[in-house]
Structures are given as structure tokens and as C-alpha cells.
Amino acid sequence: MCAVSVKAPLTVAVAASLTLGTTLAANAGGFTPPIVDSDVTAPVVEAPAGEWAGGYAGLTLGYAFAGDDAVGVNGTTVDKLELGGANAGVRLGYRWQRDRWVIGPELGFEAGNVKDSFSTAGYDAESKVKNLLALRLKTGYVLNSDVLLYGIAGVARAKVEYSITGNGAAIRDDYSKTGYVVGLGAEKKLTDRMSLTGEYEYANFGTENLSDGTFDTNATPDYHNLKLGLNFKF
């Protein structure tokens, strides 16, 4: 009886060990490691807008074209003056920047050979814009860190030489006239302190009545202007 009671617990222990081993082996074979996603998306970093704020001075070289000044004497149309020619200037300005938007005033002076003349129907006429002083407001958007696109609007005062003679008329006058300028431009940085500009402008000075006491005419100078320039930032 004693021998039988010793074997029974031993048999149960062996069976329990085998069952535990089988269970552990099954679990070991079925272990699945966690999946780690290694595809990390890089953050999108917007390119900096570049620094355009501050004062600057510059030089310009331009060519005016396609002016349209219809000339008449005592209400009778004679011919047309088409102002054009080379011009050069200097400018001084200041800009403020908020994010990619840039705005600021610019004072500019230009002089050159913007003129035209004709001789027809017994009349000799000539008009010449001697110089131009303009206060412009330029508003722009930074396209990328080194390119600025902008619009131009401003007031300008021109010094004009005008004459029409013939058939008894002798109208000669040097006068100053206030008008407006509008345009578009682009500026590209060459270095941190130097940039290249390209601009288109239209200048219009309204109507000025001129007379010699007997004959009169209306001067209406205007012209388009293409300009290249260099700016130097302070």
C-alpha cells in the first residue's frame, strides 16, 4: 500500500511538468513582436521670406516711348507729339515688411531727353519733359527670399518746355505740371545689400492751356517708361 501511494504523486508531477512545457513551447512559437512604424514624415518648413525692410538709395536708366500729345491751335487739330527718349535718375526710399508683404515710400528724380517735335501745315511744334520729381508708394510681395514683385502709384511734377509757332502763332512756355505715375516692377537681390530692379511706368500730366495772347493750345504730355536700376540698402 505504501509503494502505490508514493508513485501516484510522482506521476501527477511528471504529467504537470510535461503539460507546462508543452504550453510554454506553444506560446514561444506563436509570439509576434510589435510592429514599429519607421516611416517618419519630415515637417514642412516654409522658406524664409528674406529681409527687405530698411532704407535704400538707387540709380535708374530708362527709355520713354509712345507719348501721345494731340496738338491743336485755337481748337483746330494740327498734329501729334509722341514723347520718347532716354532718361536717368536717382531715388531714395524706405520699406517696412510684414511676413511676405513689403510697403514703403520712394522719392525719385529723373532727367533726360524725353521729347518730340514736328513741322507740318505751316507749324513747328516741340515738347520736352526736362525733369521729373516723383513721390511713389511701392507695395510688394516677396516671391521667394531674393525676388520682390511690386506695384507703383504716386504723384509727380514735371518741368516741360513747349513751343508751337507758325501761321501767326508764337506760343512758347516753360511750365511745371503735376500729374501721376503708375506701374509694376520686380527686384532681385544680387547680394545682401545690392539688388537689380526692372520697372514699367506710365506718367500722365493732364492738360495745360498755353497762349500767346491771340492763339492758344492745350499741352497734354504723357509717356510710358521702361527702367532698369540698382538699389543699395543702408
Side-chain angles (χ1 to χ4, degrees):
M1 293 294 293
C2 293
V4 173
S5 57
V6 171
K7 287 184 179 179
L10 181 60
T11 302
V12 173
V14 171
S17 298
L18 291 174
T19 302
L20 179 60
T22 303
T23 302
L24 291 175
N27 288 338
F31 173 74
T32 303
I35 298 174
V36 179
D37 186 3
S38 60
D39 186 12
V40 179
T41 303
V44 177
V45 179
E46 186 177 357
E51 180 58 53
W52 293 86
Y56 65 92
L59 305 171
T60 64
L61 182 63
Y63 190 84
F65 62 97
D68 187 5
D69 184 355
V71 178
V73 177
N74 288 352
T76 301
T77 300
V78 177
D79 206 335
K80 182 172 66 173
L81 291 165
E82 298 181 350
L83 298 178
N87 53 92
V90 294
R91 58 191 175 192
L92 182 67
Y94 192 90
R95 293 186 282 220
W96 295 273
Q97 181 174 351
R98 184 177 179 85
D99 193 18
R100 289 183 175 269
W101 290 100
V102 179
I103 188 170
E106 179 185 282
L107 184 65
F109 178 81
E110 297 165 15
N113 198 35
V114 181
K115 67 178 184 177
D116 193 27
S117 62
F118 67 73
S119 295
T120 186
Y123 291 98
D124 295 319
E126 181 176 9
S127 179
K128 178 180 179 180
V129 178
K130 295 177 64 177
N131 55 62
L132 172 73
L133 180 65
L135 179 62
R136 302 172 173 90
L137 180 67
K138 294 185 172 181
T139 305
Y141 183 80
V142 180
L143 192 62
N144 56 51
S145 61
D146 62 351
V147 176
L148 174 67
L149 302 180
Y150 54 89
I152 304 166
V155 60
R157 188 160 180 85
K159 181 70 173 178
V160 183
E161 289 183 353
Y162 194 98
S163 70
I164 179 167
T165 60
N167 296 327
I171 303 172
R172 297 183 178 88
D173 200 354
D174 290 1
Y175 68 93
S176 296
K177 185 69 174 176
T178 300
Y180 66 87
V181 291
V182 292
L184 297 170
E187 185 169 352
K188 179 176 176 56
K189 287 186 177 182
L190 302 177
T191 69
D192 288 342
R193 295 194 174 274
M194 184 170 65
S195 56
L196 177 68
T197 65
E199 296 178 344
Y200 159 78
E201 279 190 348
Y202 172 69
N204 187 302
F205 301 98
T207 301
E208 181 76 4
N209 182 262
L210 306 173
S211 176
D212 64 1
T214 303
F215 298 90
D216 71 300
T217 187
N218 288 328
T220 59
D222 72 340
Y223 58 87
H224 304 261
N225 201 15
L226 293 177
K227 298 188 293 183
L228 290 175
L230 278 177
N231 279 347
F232 304 90
K233 186 177 177 181
F234 298 156

